[in-house]
Amino acid sequence: MSEEQAKVDNRSRLTTEEFRRFVRSGWAPRPDARPERAEVAGYAARRRAVVSAAYPGERLIVPAGGLKVRSNDTDYVFRPHSAFAHLTGLGADREPDAVLVLEPRFGEDGEPAGHEAILFIKPLAERDSDEFFEDARYGEFWVGARPSLEDIEAELGLTARDVAEFADAAVKDAGQVTVRLVRDADRALTAQLDSARVEHGQAEEGMVEQDDDLAHALSHLRMIKDEWEIEQMRNAVAATLVGFEAVIAELDKAVEAGRGERWVEGVFGLHARHQGNGVGYDSICAAGDHANTLHWIKNTGDIREGDLILIDAGVEVDSLYTADITRTLPVSGTFTDAQREIYDAVYEAQQAGLAAVRPGNRFSDVHAAAIRVIAEHLHAWGLLPEGVSVEDTLDKEHGQYHRRWMVHGTSHHLGIDVHDCALATRQEYMDAELKPGMVLTVEPGLYFKADDLLAPERFRGIGVRIEDDVLVTEDGHENLSAAFPHTSDEVEEWIREVRSRR
Ligand code: GLY
Ligand code: MN
Ligand code: MN
């Protein structure tokens, strides 16, 4: 359910009965044609089948979530909950306040026999409704036409019903059937179901389960991508390459303009919005010492000719799958010796991390491989405390000195969420074996803050990260971002080549 917008009447208009009649009439009939079946529909059905098998006989409720107020009568752009997007195939902007219900079916013997997928949506309102022209939040006059129930059924191949029927459907057979809900998808709806539970006298018996079991299962379900999802990831990475190259072509302008980090953010954002739905997360456009602030999303800084600029950005395509790529570029086109020394160390760490991405290895092996190389370089540079060896610092109980210069993990799962599958347990995530179909980042870095007196002076103010998106395959991995440059020489050549296109 959407958040309430503030109601102010200082701009309200008088609507006469004459106008009402007038504005409701004189419209051409709606087209008969239904949308084609979406390519994702079959994949979404297979994902639902896995969920159905895991919860026989239980009602499963997966809300899209509602509109969120940005201020007064202005909402944020709508983004459905990731579990809802995954199980319906609906992506950008679709559909506020919708709820997917997997309704259990039973055979003649009373045994559970799968689920029916029912999508409750706000159907398209007729032209003779008040909503049509009076409701600035949902009305067709203001935000365009929504699909009808028939449209949704044709597009997605499931049963569609009016969301007005949801509340009764959710509590049907109260107490007889276990009801599970993705509780964080729509807090207002969760509160409504919790109070319905009390009204039905089920406070103790648990008509709506109070744990996050379903949300956890649906988050974990996304860990292995199907072929359609992998295609989405390829598209996201390809669009991200377009964005990065557009940024390189504009770097001179960004230096000249002042507040160059914002220029870079804007250029990438333009292409993200043009190629896909937008950025998959706030872009980090960090020149010079800003690269050492890991989540530098203010992007208020100037870019200077001799700086490196660390750009961590990804395009989210319309299906909501996002890339997550970092490249660290010399603004002049050429690394200084100190910049190259650090870049090459990070590159070496990334190669070690990438080499560890194969089935049979654990997820945490990728970080272990990369961080060992980072620790070796820090040791060789004499930065670890006196007497601390590489093994000492890698010792989780006692060491970890290297984390001063690389505090983050090397990898995370990637998909609809930039940090995908976040509710999976440690056992299912860090300690789990890599399996074909997983998509993860490999993104080591080294960060020497300008005021770090323990860093060599020549390194201070330099931060480097290299981040790629990789698919685990049967016999290793495929680097989905292989088209990006990797070595310091390749980065320089890339900048030259992109600039020469002008
Ligand atoms: N951009 C967020 C990350 O790399 O994890
Ligand atoms: Mn990342
Ligand atoms: Mn990133």
Side-chain angles (χ1 to χ4, degrees), residues 154-448:
E155 182 185 0
L156 299 180
L158 38 61
T159 305
R161 280 170 53 190
D162 191 325
V163 75
E165 298 167 23
F166 168 74
D168 286 342
V171 301
K172 198 173 126 224
D173 305 326
Q176 312 294 309
V177 59
T178 299
V179 181
R180 290 188 195 275
L181 166 68
V182 176
R183 298 179 64 82
D184 71 341
D186 188 328
R187 286 287 165 197
L189 182 144
T190 296
Q192 186 195 30
L193 288 187
D194 282 344
S195 62
R197 180 177 91 118
V198 174
E199 276 167 32
H200 282 76
Q202 299 295 328
E204 298 309 318
E205 288 100 309
M207 191 190 88
V208 181
E209 296 294 314
Q210 298 292 295
D211 58 39
D212 288 324
D213 186 87
L214 180 61
H216 158 253
L218 298 183
S219 184
H220 185 221
L221 176 68
R222 301 209 304 274
M223 214 169 243
I224 309 272
K225 272 67 181 172
D226 59 37
E227 62 185 21
W228 186 86
E229 294 179 287
I230 292 165
E231 193 57 29
Q232 301 307 303
M233 293 305 301
R234 288 186 201 287
N235 297 343
V237 172
T240 300
L241 184 59
V242 172
F244 267 82
E245 294 194 342
V247 164
I248 291 173
E250 294 247 348
L251 265 185
D252 293 348
K253 211 181 252 176
V255 171
E256 248 172 64
R259 254 158 82 101
E261 292 176 346
R262 284 288 170 93
W263 195 275
V264 166
E265 179 188 327
V267 170
F268 189 86
L270 161 66
H271 290 276
R273 192 73 182 137
H274 184 239
Q275 297 268 317
N277 187 44
V279 291
Y281 53 94
D282 289 321
S283 303
I284 297 170
C285 307
D289 192 41
H290 287 161
N292 298 313
T293 302
L294 295 173
H295 290 170
W296 179 256
I297 55 170
K298 292 180 187 162
N299 303 337
T300 47
D302 293 334
I303 303 176
R304 281 166 293 267
E305 183 68 12
D307 282 346
L308 292 180
I309 179 162
L310 181 157
I311 304 167
D312 182 342
V315 174
E316 170 187 275
V317 290
D318 289 341
S319 55
L320 303 180
Y321 289 78
T322 189
D324 179 10
I325 303 282
T326 306
R327 283 298 178 272
T328 309
L329 311 171
V331 177
S332 68
T334 310
F335 289 100
T336 65
D337 290 347
Q339 289 168 350
R340 187 185 299 273
E341 200 177 344
I342 298 169
Y343 186 96
D344 291 349
V346 174
Y347 168 75
E348 211 185 294
Q350 200 207 21
Q351 291 301 301
L354 288 168
V357 181
R358 55 188 147 79
N361 268 3
R362 285 179 309 163
F363 181 88
S364 58
D365 290 336
V366 181
H367 178 72
I371 204 70
R372 173 169 291 276
V373 175
I374 295 287
E376 285 167 357
H377 280 281
L378 292 169
H379 186 260
W381 285 322
L383 302 190
L384 301 180
E386 191 66 33
V388 171
S389 68
V390 169
E391 296 310 323
D392 291 339
T393 192
L394 293 176
D395 176 350
K396 290 209 170 65
E397 299 294 320
H398 303 104
Q400 305 283 295
Y401 300 97
H402 57 275
R403 296 188 67 217
R404 180 180 177 108
W405 297 288
M406 182 181 151
V407 75
H408 62 77
T410 302
S411 294
H412 55 80
H413 283 270
L414 183 66
I416 294 182
D417 291 344
V418 61
H419 293 172
D420 212 27
C421 314
L423 299 183
T425 61
R426 186 173 182 90
Q427 236 177 353
E428 295 163 336
Y429 201 118
M430 294 302 285
D431 300 341
E433 279 192 14
L434 294 173
K435 297 244 163 56
M438 290 180 171
V439 175
L440 50 132
T441 66
V442 182
E443 50 173 311
L446 270 170
Y447 311 92
F448 298 101

